[in-house]
Amino acid sequence: MKKITVPDIVKMKRIGTKIPVLTAYSHAISRILDSAGIPLLLVGDSVGMVEGGYSDTLKVTVDEIIYHTRSVVKGRRLALVVADMPFMSYHVSIEAARENAGRMVKEGGAEAVKLEGGVKMADTIRAIADIDIPVMGHIGLTPQSIHRMGGYRVQGRVDREVEGLVRDAKAVEEAGAFAVVIEGIPADVAGRITDDLSIPTIGIGAGPHCDGQVLVIHDMLGLSGDIKPSFVKQYIDLNGLISAAVKDYICDVGEGAFPGEEHVFK
Ligand code: KIV
């Protein structure tokens, strides 16, 4: 098996192969997802919510993303690793954006970075892509814009917003991004954008017409507690399985059934 590269991901759209993407934040999960055959692992700033317990992604820092990226890179063998640029790591200046993207590659080992925004971020995407750091765009429901949007709201439900999304998608492609995440928009709008672009679209809450799909790993494994967004398919109830295992352990320790003979040094 061959290491997955940015051109491989772009080619998947050209040859009509759907692109399954998952988030990963740790060495252990990265190893499992990679050996199961996931071609692209995203070290999302969602780590702040699902691992850090924050109510949004805004507090996540560059250092935190670098730490998690390093763990994911160590755990994978073949998958492409994309690191998410946190809020305020690419907004202040083009120079700061380049420097922070560079840190994610140099210190974290990421092979590409992702940042949120369309037309407004085109110059930033171009500046990072120009120093040969591949960039993945992210448009539609952009979680770092939670305060402007007034919550996690589906975007592109009215004509004016649809035209804005189409312009954002084109701007991201023209700026040199190799792929774009489209989040929280109606399926027909996502389909139109996917047809319009030559780079792959990776959907989350954007319906079946995208070139790929991404899910937050905690959501698909059933580790997100009571939060169950309607666009998520949960493939296993790890919450229940872990809880049952831990209850067995508590019982075993209480009854002296663990450690057994086989766990004892002689
Ligand atoms: O932070 C993240 O996990 C993301 C994906 C949901 C696209 O941006």
Side-chain angles (χ1 to χ4, degrees):
M1 291 289 272
K2 175 183 159 300
K3 173 79 185 71
I4 309 286
T5 63
V6 165
D8 293 329
I9 298 295
V10 177
K11 184 174 168 198
M12 287 173 84
K13 172 165 184 145
R14 227 177 29 248
I15 63 178
T17 305
K18 291 275 188 183
I19 308 164
V21 177
L22 286 169
T23 67
Y25 319 105
S26 71
H27 176 270
I29 292 288
S30 163
R31 183 175 47 75
I32 297 169
L33 304 188
D34 182 271
S35 34
I38 288 289
L40 196 162
L41 296 172
L42 172 65
V43 186
D45 60 358
S46 50
V47 67
M49 297 175 79
V50 298
E51 288 287 336
Y54 308 155
S55 57
D56 56 48
T57 58
L58 302 183
K59 292 186 189 68
V60 173
T61 66
V62 172
D63 286 339
E64 285 168 340
I65 291 289
I66 288 173
Y67 170 80
H68 288 284
T69 303
R70 225 182 263 146
S71 312
V72 168
V73 165
K74 275 186 169 287
R76 72 83 211 264
R77 208 166 55 86
L78 302 176
L80 186 80
V81 175
V82 179
D84 222 354
M85 296 198 68
F87 179 58
M88 294 309 284
S89 70
Y90 55 98
H91 303 78
V92 177
S93 69
I94 296 278
E95 289 71 28
R98 278 182 156 177
E99 193 172 324
N100 285 321
R103 285 192 64 201
M104 289 185 198
V105 173
K106 246 177 135 59
E107 298 174 40
E111 292 155 310
V113 298
K114 176 172 85 57
L115 60 86
E116 298 182 8
V119 172
K120 286 191 269 187
M121 283 298 157
D123 288 344
T124 307
I125 293 173
R126 189 171 296 108
I128 297 173
D130 275 355
I131 52 169
D132 289 340
I133 297 177
V135 181
M136 176 181 264
H138 185 160
I139 62 164
L141 191 172
T142 44
Q144 291 174 11
S145 317
I146 181 177
H147 297 311
R148 173 180 56 76
M149 294 181 303
Y152 298 110
R153 294 183 194 288
V154 173
Q155 306 291 298
R157 282 212 161 118
V158 295
D159 288 351
R160 181 178 42 81
E161 281 179 10
V162 173
E163 292 320 313
L165 284 172
V166 171
R167 275 198 300 277
D168 279 341
K170 268 283 161 207
V172 166
E173 173 170 77
E174 281 164 17
F178 75 95
V180 59
V181 168
I182 47 183
E183 176 165 358
I185 69 172
D188 58 332
V189 181
R192 177 175 160 195
I193 290 172
T194 299
D195 290 344
D196 271 6
L197 299 187
S198 59
I199 58 171
T201 58
I202 311 294
I204 175 162
H209 310 303
C210 300
D211 299 304
Q213 298 289 329
V214 55
L215 283 177
V216 170
I217 188 69
H218 289 56
D219 292 344
M220 69 90 75
L221 296 181
L223 282 173
S224 298
D226 293 335
I227 305 160
K228 290 202 174 88
S230 62
F231 59 83
V232 169
K233 178 169 175 184
Q234 188 185 308
Y235 285 79
I236 190 170
D237 174 24
L238 273 196
N239 195 330
L241 290 174
I242 292 173
S243 173
V246 171
K247 283 179 185 155
D248 283 351
Y249 171 71
I250 292 169
C251 250
D252 279 0
V253 172
E255 291 167 1
F258 175 80
E261 265 301 296
E262 67 278 32
H263 308 118
V264 174
F265 295 120
K266 298 253 162 57

